[in-house]
Amino acid sequence: MAKKLKRIGVMTSGGDSPGMNAAIRAVVRTCAYYHTECAGFYRGFQGMIDGDCINMNARSVRNIVNQGGTILQSARSKQFLTKEGRAQAAQNLKEQEVDAMILIGGDGTFRGGQVFSQEHGIPVIGVPGTIDNDIYGTHYTIGYDTALNTVVEAIDKIRDTASSHNRLFFVEVMGRDAGFIALNSGIGAGAEEILIPEEDLGLDRLLDSLERSRRAGKTSSIVVVSEGDKIGKNVFELAEYVKENLPFYDARVSVLGHIQRGGRPSCFDRVLASRLSVKAVELLLDGKKDLMVGMLNNEIESCSLDQALKGKHTINKDLLRISEILST
Amino acid sequence: MAKKLKRIGVMTSGGDSPGMNAAIRAVVRTCAYYHTECAGFYRGFQGMIDGDCINMNARSVRNIVNQGGTILQSARSKQFLTKEGRAQAAQNLKEQEVDAMILIGGDGTFRGGQVFSQEHGIPVIGVPGTIDNDIYGTHYTIGYDTALNTVVEAIDKIRDTASSHNRLFFVEVMGRDAGFIALNSGIGAGAEEILIPEEDLGLDRLLDSLERSRRAGKTSSIVVVSEGDKIGKNVFELAEYVKENLPFYDARVSVLGHIQRGGRPSCFDRVLASRLSVKAVELLLDGKKDLMVGMLNNEIESCSLDQALKGKHTINKDLLRISEILST
Amino acid sequence: MAKKLKRIGVMTSGGDSPGMNAAIRAVVRTCAYYHTECAGFYRGFQGMIDGDCINMNARSVRNIVNQGGTILQSARSKQFLTKEGRAQAAQNLKEQEVDAMILIGGDGTFRGGQVFSQEHGIPVIGVPGTIDNDIYGTHYTIGYDTALNTVVEAIDKIRDTASSHNRLFFVEVMGRDAGFIALNSGIGAGAEEILIPEEDLGLDRLLDSLERSRRAGKTSSIVVVSEGDKIGKNVFELAEYVKENLPFYDARVSVLGHIQRGGRPSCFDRVLASRLSVKAVELLLDGKKDLMVGMLNNEIESCSLDQALKGKHTINKDLLRISEILST
Amino acid sequence: MAKKLKRIGVMTSGGDSPGMNAAIRAVVRTCAYYHTECAGFYRGFQGMIDGDCINMNARSVRNIVNQGGTILQSARSKQFLTKEGRAQAAQNLKEQEVDAMILIGGDGTFRGGQVFSQEHGIPVIGVPGTIDNDIYGTHYTIGYDTALNTVVEAIDKIRDTASSHNRLFFVEVMGRDAGFIALNSGIGAGAEEILIPEEDLGLDRLLDSLERSRRAGKTSSIVVVSEGDKIGKNVFELAEYVKENLPFYDARVSVLGHIQRGGRPSCFDRVLASRLSVKAVELLLDGKKDLMVGMLNNEIESCSLDQALKGKHTINKDLLRISEILST
């Protein structure tokens, strides 16, 4: 084991995701287990710059494993994008005797952490926490599984209404650059069509498919649309376009929005957050740095932050085929 | 008991609401219990016009007590607004030997039913089913309690994110003409402000209140806004207005939309639907007509459709006071 | 308004129920609104005896409106049953300058409070919080509505299995002396039979009914049994008895147990808790004492603790009739 | 592609699990997609023996993707354990022109299927559906993820009460031979101790751990116990034992029981069921037989039924270590 770390800091950054609290809890308890101090920084990088932190022990994280959001709060920090901001943060860590940081967040968080570590020699480990699942080096990010359940539960409710009124619903889900949520929740909710940023299926194909659906006797339908779908229209324009071209459809729109970020984490996310965070602390205690922990093939692994940032986690395109078969 | 009814029809009309299936089930089973036939008409008045109906028995309604939506589907019928449409419907009922109708729906449904009964002498009984709770003659409509739970669960999720990011959220809920959902879900979700159609609190008051909140150290807030709030701005304009005037707030919008109509009914709605519908059948069998059943003071009562349509179910304004006290 | 109260105490006692936190929050915020201090006592009467309390302000109760359990904890205190114990509690209240108490709990809590008030002249107001709904002077107690939803959700799950395997399930729910939970959740869950403490339907009738059910083609059934049912057998003995007498049934038992006490409160319970607690504080500030607040006919009312303790909240027996009709 | 299959049969067998309906739906729709007929057999092997089956098409499986249980029902068949029973089943399949079977279930189901295939040359493919996750050849079985969520939600509720009353709860979860559910739900629910069939931690260690917990200031605790734990006492005896030895604990028991089998499937289980079942049909159409499909490392794979039956899916013992660290 390398030079003994006295004190490990932890923060959450970027969009919050369910399971971040379970991750914080696991960091804090693992530190306690290994008799290492732990400091929690509020509002991500901004708290590091402002020196806004508290000592955390096993009791600080009682009864949070099942809470959505993050007790350490999150924020985006423009100041941390500057050299001065980062220097200020490094200065604070030194004053607080924090030897290393665990960063729970997504791409932007890891990018900031990497620069920070390089400039100031403070080891960081990234823990992937985002509902978008768009991080290379892990099959699952913390919060993604919960978001999928939130989305399918919402679509189940919408389908009650769609079936009762013979309506076509366009449901917009999160995922500006990645179709993970749309693709999996679409299959889970039995959507008739799924539109994702990775594939432009074309408007014609959508119309064809809906018309075929109608002829097959389906009177209600759900189309799941990723925020960032490639089709070049937002979800309201899409609905209008379909109404004009397929007037027999009573098309409606539902934008699920921020409910997708909150809520009690699923068991999967709680266990994932716990396992990743125990590993993150152990890596630091083991003298490792600038890594991201991830779950690959059900095992907890790690890769360099550099790999995580350069790689691209791509969707499984076979799921599009599955979706097509199932909406027969 | 009056002239024995041979066959009772049942339909659902207007916006669907959770518990309509429990109501259909109770109508069907009560008919079976009293050895009376039952016919279910699809898509409300339109199904009556089209003669689109099925015989229903105890088995037809198995395992639906807990399902959202309505197995008989719902629709708005322009044709039923015409004398010819209604005559066609009456003709069909006669051919099908349906002696009386139970109409599950809201104001529009009851208005149609009343005219229909007057023109064609076919007794109708209304069962109030709508999430809006805006029906006179009953303290609760079927679906309202479930919608409230759906809304507070959604706002609980949004609060996770609001707290994590120090944000102000404007959450739009259903209720074009009535603030029941906004007022009760707002108190239930601990909203800092509630805007409803019945009261114009004024934009200045909203700004004042939010500024006071901020000064008191609250960094995140939820404002629940009824679709039809009186303040003269939609929820997006409201958020913009606040951002301009209170720039320290990171204001966001969430429109809950159609998820409010669906979902498994709460126990309250299932029991309410069951009790109202048993009563509706018993009233018909007792020779009564043109009534609406309702729950007043925990008892099942009835009033004339006329009263139900002319009266106005007003919100309890004391709840606004409660809300103000609790957002101290 | 009477002699100005300087400081109001609040505690929770007896079995915990969902919504108790919403009640505590409303007490604390109403005190703040009226510029009155508020002290929270831990573990009910025991905390009063031990002087275990904290000052509470609007911030102390942030983000608890949606949490199950009670942040003030609950306990049963044998010591409070003694004159000495109560004298000690009174002494502590005086030292802490607490002028009056709000007691959130059930019958036992109110009984203790009444004796305490009479002996020591310290005004108390009771707020009915128990899942059992067995309190006179209110149509609903805090936590009851949530417990009903928890029970019907659990039975919905059990019905999935019952239907898949053609099984008969005996589901035991809480309610040692009162059948409120069994009766309402039984109707809500579509149970074939409901056994409650208030009625001994007899084992023969149960067998008859199950046999009739079977002949009518029902292959799976749910029987909801109150803990304290009158039939003289516990739920396991009941299942055995039925297996012996109706061997074609594959009878199973599920005891729902403590999950019924916990969970996020429903909107109904949150609003109820809020309204009752605002009223409780206002009554104290108004110079009133030894009352219980309750909701009757949708309005918040109060009655003397004496009435609440002497009266009996009886189930609506018409619901048994409804249940029989619906299990046709 | 091999000899064209005319008609594929599908059934569910063994304990039902959430997601079985999603699997049935995927089998039926994939058959439709490939223009192959599909027959659904009721009550597992028993339905094959009784010839109790229906034709299924895309519409037969509408709106079931989100339903718990199995529309084809399940049962254990003693008759199928006999040569005569299996011969009868084979005879029926021939008469019904069913060329191959897809069997959704667990170990017992696959064992029966393997013998049947060997005796009668009718190809079978197994799809792992059981909440226990104890099947070799797949990291996840259908229903397991949902059961984990059901368990953690139940324990969340119990913790509300445990925290409010300073109680120790022993919560029994399913898993007679395998600790998957206990181990993962225990970590997810933040249990202080987890007892599983795979490890005998010893009663002394349990007492030590609880005493340490108590000294560390924890006043409430959750111990998750697998039905089949090795410790040689059932959950009630365990609670008694602890009460005798650690009398400061107010120990209670909750047996979660059958609610673990039911409920709406999680998104994970719906997608898993869909992917596995599409693959199962495609393997048959491809001329394959006597395989089980599974998900390994996020990819859909297959292995021989023989391997699936001979192998053992073992728990990840590192999770015990994680649990110990987190209950610090």
Side-chain angles (χ1 to χ4, degrees):
Chain A
M1 198 171 280
K3 174 214 159 210
K4 180 82 174 68
L5 297 179
K6 184 180 161 46
R7 205 161 181 228
I8 291 175
V10 58
M11 57 79 119
T12 50
S13 175
D16 65 315
S17 74
M20 280 187 163
N21 278 327
I24 294 167
R25 170 180 176 268
V27 168
V28 171
R29 295 240 162 128
T30 310
C31 285
Y33 183 82
Y34 288 113
H35 307 295
T36 304
E37 290 175 30
C38 184
F41 287 83
Y42 285 104
R43 292 168 301 112
F45 291 125
Q46 195 57 44
M48 288 164 61
I49 293 174
D50 300 343
D52 187 7
C53 78
I54 48 159
N55 292 324
M56 300 188 87
N57 59 37
R59 299 187 75 160
S60 330
V61 291
R62 190 171 284 180
N63 288 340
I64 67 166
V65 72
N66 58 13
Q67 303 293 327
T70 155
I71 60 168
L72 290 178
Q73 302 195 305
S74 185
R76 301 187 198 273
S77 167
K78 282 191 185 160
Q79 235 182 311
F80 199 78
L81 298 177
T82 67
K83 223 177 165 81
E84 295 71 30
R86 293 190 296 271
Q88 177 66 48
Q91 179 62 25
N92 281 330
L93 294 196
K94 267 161 215 163
E95 281 170 19
Q96 309 261 5
E97 299 187 86
V98 171
D99 302 315
M101 285 296 303
I102 289 179
L103 314 175
I104 305 167
D107 259 24
T109 307
F110 299 158
R111 210 176 308 276
Q114 194 186 28
V115 174
F116 180 72
S117 165
Q118 283 161 1
E119 285 178 356
H120 299 284
I122 295 175
V124 306
I125 302 280
V127 176
T130 159
I131 63 166
D132 292 331
N133 208 36
D134 58 347
I135 307 283
Y136 182 81
T138 189
H139 280 142
Y140 296 98
T141 56
I142 300 165
Y144 169 60
D145 182 67
T146 305
L148 289 181
N149 283 329
T150 301
V151 170
V152 297
E153 279 167 30
I155 302 182
D156 285 354
K157 290 192 171 89
I158 291 169
R159 192 177 285 282
D160 285 341
T161 277
S163 302
S164 298
H165 287 275
N166 290 330
R167 281 180 185 154
L168 166 65
F169 268 92
F170 289 87
V171 181
E172 188 192 277
V173 302
M174 285 191 170
R176 212 170 292 279
D177 306 306
F180 290 100
I181 292 179
L183 199 44
N184 282 273
S185 70
I187 290 175
E192 277 69 24
E193 283 290 330
I194 302 171
L195 306 180
I196 56 173
E198 288 87 348
E199 287 267 324
D200 180 3
L201 298 175
L203 286 165
D204 288 352
R205 198 186 152 293
L206 176 65
L207 293 183
D208 278 3
S209 156
L210 289 172
E211 213 161 357
R212 216 167 40 241
S213 227
R214 179 72 170 192
R215 275 199 308 268
K218 276 201 190 174
T219 53
S220 67
S221 291
I222 303 284
V223 179
V224 172
V225 186
S226 221
E227 276 174 317
D229 83 283
K230 265 256 180 61
I231 218 158
K233 291 184 182 297
N234 75 29
V235 72
F236 293 98
E237 292 164 350
L238 261 179
E240 277 313 307
Y241 182 84
V242 167
K243 272 197 245 186
E244 278 163 28
N245 287 276
L246 302 175
F248 46 80
Y249 268 115
D250 181 8
R252 302 289 170 110
V253 168
S254 182
V255 175
L256 295 187
H258 283 87
I259 59 168
Q260 294 166 84
R261 291 209 174 283
R264 302 206 154 196
S266 67
C267 186
F268 186 98
D269 274 329
R270 300 184 196 185
V271 175
L272 176 66
S274 301
R275 294 176 69 187
L276 291 176
S277 303
V278 168
K279 180 73 169 184
V281 174
E282 292 182 336
L283 284 171
L284 278 181
L285 293 177
D286 223 35
K288 301 291 193 302
K289 61 173 187 171
D290 303 354
L291 301 176
M292 187 194 81
V293 289
M295 187 166 84
L296 293 171
N297 305 338
N298 286 329
E299 298 297 331
I300 304 303
E301 310 281 357
S302 63
C303 66
S304 72
L305 280 179
D306 206 49
Q307 282 175 290
L309 287 166
K310 285 187 180 145
K312 184 159 171 50
H313 187 191
T314 52
I315 55 161
N316 180 345
K317 291 218 176 163
D318 193 48
L319 290 177
L320 285 171
R321 200 179 63 89
I322 301 281
S323 165
E324 196 195 330
I325 291 173
L326 296 181
S327 57
T328 298
Chain B
M1 201 171 276
K3 175 218 160 209
K4 182 78 175 68
L5 297 180
K6 185 180 161 44
R7 206 163 181 226
I8 291 175
V10 59
M11 56 79 118
T12 51
S13 175
D16 65 316
S17 74
M20 281 187 161
N21 278 328
I24 294 167
R25 171 180 176 267
V27 167
V28 171
R29 295 239 164 128
T30 310
C31 285
Y33 183 83
Y34 287 113
H35 307 295
T36 304
E37 290 175 29
C38 185
F41 287 82
Y42 286 103
R43 292 168 300 113
F45 291 126
Q46 195 58 44
M48 288 163 62
I49 294 173
D50 300 343
D52 186 7
C53 77
I54 48 157
N55 292 325
M56 299 188 87
N57 59 37
R59 299 188 75 160
S60 331
V61 290
R62 190 171 283 180
N63 288 341
I64 66 166
V65 72
N66 59 10
Q67 304 293 327
T70 156
I71 61 167
L72 289 178
Q73 302 194 307
S74 185
R76 302 187 196 272
S77 167
K78 282 190 185 159
Q79 234 181 314
F80 199 78
L81 298 177
T82 67
K83 224 176 164 84
E84 295 70 30
R86 294 189 297 270
Q88 178 65 48
Q91 180 62 26
N92 281 329
L93 295 196
K94 268 161 212 159
E95 280 169 18
Q96 309 261 7
E97 298 186 87
V98 171
D99 302 316
M101 284 296 302
I102 288 177
L103 314 175
I104 304 167
D107 259 24
T109 308
F110 299 157
R111 212 176 308 276
Q114 193 185 30
V115 174
F116 180 72
S117 165
Q118 283 161 0
E119 286 177 357
H120 300 284
I122 295 174
V124 305
I125 303 278
V127 176
T130 160
I131 62 167
D132 292 331
N133 207 36
D134 58 347
I135 307 284
Y136 182 82
T138 190
H139 281 142
Y140 296 97
T141 57
I142 299 165
Y144 168 59
D145 182 67
T146 305
L148 289 181
N149 283 328
T150 301
V151 171
V152 297
E153 279 166 30
I155 302 182
D156 285 354
K157 291 192 170 91
I158 290 169
R159 193 177 283 282
D160 285 340
T161 276
S163 302
S164 300
H165 287 276
N166 289 332
R167 279 179 186 156
L168 167 65
F169 267 93
F170 288 87
V171 181
E172 188 191 279
V173 302
M174 284 192 171
R176 210 170 293 279
D177 306 306
F180 290 100
I181 292 179
L183 199 44
N184 281 273
S185 70
I187 289 176
E192 277 70 23
E193 284 290 330
I194 303 172
L195 306 179
I196 57 174
E198 287 88 346
E199 288 267 324
D200 180 1
L201 299 175
L203 285 166
D204 288 349
R205 199 186 152 294
L206 176 65
L207 292 183
D208 279 1
S209 155
L210 289 172
E211 214 161 357
R212 216 168 38 242
S213 226
R214 179 72 170 190
R215 276 200 306 268
K218 276 201 191 176
T219 52
S220 68
S221 293
I222 303 284
V223 179
V224 172
V225 186
S226 220
E227 277 175 316
D229 83 285
K230 265 254 179 61
I231 219 159
K233 292 187 182 293
N234 75 29
V235 73
F236 293 98
E237 291 163 350
L238 262 178
E240 277 313 308
Y241 183 83
V242 167
K243 273 198 245 185
E244 278 163 29
N245 287 275
L246 301 175
F248 45 80
Y249 269 116
D250 181 9
R252 304 288 171 111
V253 168
S254 183
V255 175
L256 294 188
H258 284 86
I259 59 168
Q260 295 168 81
R261 292 208 174 283
R264 301 207 153 194
S266 67
C267 186
F268 187 97
D269 274 330
R270 299 184 196 185
V271 174
L272 176 67
S274 300
R275 292 176 71 188
L276 292 175
S277 303
V278 168
K279 180 72 169 188
V281 174
E282 292 181 337
L283 284 171
L284 279 180
L285 294 176
D286 222 36
K288 302 293 192 302
K289 62 174 185 171
D290 302 355
L291 302 176
M292 188 195 81
V293 289
M295 187 165 83
L296 294 171
N297 305 336
N298 286 329
E299 298 297 329
I300 303 304
E301 311 281 356
S302 64
C303 67
S304 72
L305 281 179
D306 206 48
Q307 283 175 290
L309 288 166
K310 285 186 179 145
K312 183 157 172 50
H313 187 190
T314 51
I315 55 161
N316 180 345
K317 291 219 174 163
D318 194 47
L319 291 177
L320 285 171
R321 199 178 65 87
I322 301 281
S323 166
E324 196 195 330
I325 291 173
L326 296 181
S327 56
T328 297
Chain C
M1 201 171 278
K3 174 216 160 209
K4 181 78 173 71
L5 298 178
K6 184 180 161 44
R7 206 162 181 227
I8 290 175
V10 58
M11 57 79 119
T12 50
S13 174
D16 65 315
S17 74
M20 280 187 163
N21 278 328
I24 294 167
R25 170 180 176 267
V27 168
V28 172
R29 295 240 163 129
T30 309
C31 285
Y33 183 82
Y34 287 113
H35 307 293
T36 304
E37 290 176 29
C38 185
F41 286 83
Y42 286 103
R43 291 168 300 114
F45 292 125
Q46 195 58 44
M48 288 163 61
I49 293 173
D50 300 343
D52 187 7
C53 77
I54 48 157
N55 292 325
M56 300 189 86
N57 59 36
R59 299 187 77 159
S60 331
V61 291
R62 191 171 283 180
N63 287 341
I64 66 167
V65 72
N66 59 12
Q67 303 293 327
T70 156
I71 59 167
L72 290 178
Q73 302 195 306
S74 185
R76 301 186 199 272
S77 167
K78 284 191 185 160
Q79 233 181 314
F80 199 78
L81 297 176
T82 68
K83 225 179 165 80
E84 295 70 31
R86 293 191 296 271
Q88 178 66 48
Q91 180 62 24
N92 281 330
L93 294 195
K94 267 161 215 162
E95 280 170 19
Q96 309 261 5
E97 298 186 87
V98 171
D99 302 315
M101 285 295 303
I102 288 177
L103 313 175
I104 305 167
D107 259 24
T109 308
F110 300 157
R111 211 176 310 276
Q114 194 185 27
V115 174
F116 180 72
S117 165
Q118 283 161 1
E119 286 177 356
H120 300 284
I122 295 174
V124 306
I125 302 278
V127 176
T130 161
I131 63 166
D132 292 332
N133 207 37
D134 57 348
I135 307 283
Y136 182 81
T138 189
H139 279 141
Y140 296 97
T141 56
I142 300 165
Y144 168 59
D145 182 67
T146 305
L148 289 181
N149 284 329
T150 300
V151 171
V152 297
E153 279 166 31
I155 302 183
D156 285 354
K157 290 193 170 92
I158 290 170
R159 193 178 283 283
D160 285 341
T161 276
S163 302
S164 299
H165 286 276
N166 289 331
R167 280 180 186 157
L168 167 64
F169 268 93
F170 289 87
V171 181
E172 188 192 278
V173 302
M174 285 192 170
R176 212 170 290 281
D177 306 306
F180 290 100
I181 291 180
L183 198 44
N184 282 273
S185 70
I187 290 176
E192 277 69 24
E193 283 290 330
I194 302 171
L195 306 179
I196 57 174
E198 288 87 347
E199 288 267 324
D200 179 2
L201 299 174
L203 284 165
D204 289 351
R205 198 187 152 292
L206 176 64
L207 293 183
D208 278 2
S209 156
L210 289 172
E211 213 161 357
R212 215 168 40 240
S213 225
R214 179 72 170 192
R215 276 199 308 268
K218 277 200 190 174
T219 53
S220 66
S221 291
I222 303 284
V223 179
V224 172
V225 185
S226 221
E227 277 175 316
D229 83 284
K230 266 254 180 62
I231 218 158
K233 291 186 181 293
N234 75 28
V235 73
F236 293 98
E237 292 164 350
L238 261 178
E240 278 312 308
Y241 183 84
V242 167
K243 272 198 244 186
E244 279 162 28
N245 287 275
L246 302 175
F248 46 80
Y249 269 116
D250 180 9
R252 303 289 171 111
V253 168
S254 182
V255 176
L256 295 189
H258 284 85
I259 60 168
Q260 295 167 83
R261 292 210 175 280
R264 303 206 153 193
S266 67
C267 186
F268 187 98
D269 275 329
R270 299 184 197 185
V271 174
L272 176 66
S274 300
R275 292 176 70 188
L276 291 176
S277 303
V278 168
K279 180 72 169 187
V281 174
E282 291 181 337
L283 285 171
L284 278 180
L285 294 176
D286 222 35
K288 301 293 193 303
K289 61 173 186 171
D290 303 354
L291 301 177
M292 187 195 82
V293 289
M295 187 166 83
L296 293 171
N297 305 336
N298 286 328
E299 298 298 329
I300 303 304
E301 311 281 357
S302 63
C303 67
S304 72
L305 281 178
D306 206 51
Q307 282 176 291
L309 288 165
K310 285 185 179 144
K312 184 160 171 47
H313 187 190
T314 51
I315 56 160
N316 180 345
K317 292 219 174 163
D318 194 47
L319 291 177
L320 285 172
R321 200 178 64 88
I322 301 281
S323 166
E324 196 196 329
I325 291 174
L326 296 181
S327 56
T328 296
Chain D
M1 198 171 282
K3 173 215 160 211
K4 180 80 174 72
L5 298 179
K6 184 180 161 45
R7 206 162 181 229
I8 290 175
V10 59
M11 57 78 119
T12 51
S13 175
D16 65 315
S17 74
M20 281 188 162
N21 278 328
I24 295 167
R25 171 180 176 267
V27 168
V28 171
R29 296 240 164 127
T30 310
C31 285
Y33 183 81
Y34 288 113
H35 307 295
T36 305
E37 291 176 31
C38 185
F41 286 83
Y42 286 103
R43 292 168 300 112
F45 292 126
Q46 195 58 43
M48 287 163 63
I49 294 174
D50 300 343
D52 187 7
C53 77
I54 49 158
N55 292 325
M56 299 188 87
N57 59 38
R59 300 188 75 159
S60 329
V61 291
R62 189 170 285 181
N63 288 339
I64 66 166
V65 72
N66 59 10
Q67 304 293 327
T70 155
I71 60 168
L72 289 177
Q73 302 195 307
S74 186
R76 301 186 197 273
S77 168
K78 283 190 185 160
Q79 235 182 312
F80 199 78
L81 298 176
T82 67
K83 225 179 163 80
E84 296 70 31
R86 293 191 296 271
Q88 176 67 46
Q91 180 63 24
N92 281 330
L93 294 196
K94 267 161 214 162
E95 279 170 19
Q96 308 262 4
E97 299 186 87
V98 172
D99 302 314
M101 285 296 302
I102 289 177
L103 313 175
I104 305 167
D107 258 24
T109 308
F110 300 158
R111 210 175 309 277
Q114 193 185 28
V115 174
F116 180 71
S117 165
Q118 283 160 0
E119 286 177 357
H120 300 284
I122 295 174
V124 306
I125 302 278
V127 176
T130 161
I131 62 166
D132 292 331
N133 208 36
D134 57 348
I135 306 282
Y136 182 81
T138 189
H139 280 141
Y140 295 98
T141 57
I142 299 166
Y144 168 61
D145 182 68
T146 304
L148 289 181
N149 283 329
T150 300
V151 170
V152 296
E153 279 167 30
I155 302 183
D156 285 354
K157 290 192 170 89
I158 290 170
R159 193 177 284 282
D160 285 341
T161 276
S163 303
S164 299
H165 287 276
N166 289 332
R167 280 180 185 155
L168 167 64
F169 267 94
F170 289 87
V171 181
E172 187 192 278
V173 302
M174 285 191 170
R176 212 171 291 279
D177 306 306
F180 290 101
I181 291 180
L183 198 45
N184 281 273
S185 71
I187 290 176
E192 277 69 23
E193 283 290 330
I194 303 171
L195 306 179
I196 57 173
E198 288 87 347
E199 288 267 323
D200 180 2
L201 298 175
L203 284 167
D204 288 350
R205 198 186 153 293
L206 176 65
L207 292 184
D208 279 0
S209 155
L210 289 173
E211 214 161 357
R212 215 168 40 239
S213 227
R214 180 70 170 193
R215 277 199 307 270
K218 275 201 190 174
T219 53
S220 67
S221 292
I222 303 283
V223 179
V224 172
V225 185
S226 221
E227 276 175 317
D229 82 284
K230 266 253 180 62
I231 217 158
K233 290 186 183 295
N234 76 29
V235 72
F236 293 98
E237 292 163 351
L238 261 178
E240 277 313 308
Y241 182 83
V242 167
K243 271 198 247 188
E244 279 162 28
N245 287 276
L246 302 175
F248 46 80
Y249 269 116
D250 181 9
R252 303 290 171 109
V253 168
S254 183
V255 176
L256 295 188
H258 284 86
I259 59 167
Q260 295 167 82
R261 292 208 174 284
R264 303 205 153 196
S266 67
C267 186
F268 187 97
D269 274 330
R270 300 183 196 185
V271 174
L272 176 66
S274 301
R275 292 176 70 187
L276 291 176
S277 303
V278 168
K279 180 73 169 185
V281 174
E282 292 181 338
L283 284 171
L284 279 180
L285 294 177
D286 222 36
K288 301 292 192 303
K289 61 174 185 170
D290 303 354
L291 301 177
M292 188 195 81
V293 289
M295 187 165 84
L296 294 171
N297 305 338
N298 287 327
E299 298 297 329
I300 304 304
E301 310 282 357
S302 63
C303 67
S304 71
L305 280 179
D306 206 50
Q307 282 175 289
L309 288 166
K310 284 185 179 145
K312 184 158 171 50
H313 187 190
T314 52
I315 56 160
N316 180 345
K317 291 217 175 164
D318 193 48
L319 290 177
L320 284 171
R321 200 179 64 90
I322 301 281
S323 165
E324 196 195 329
I325 291 174
L326 295 180
S327 57
T328 297

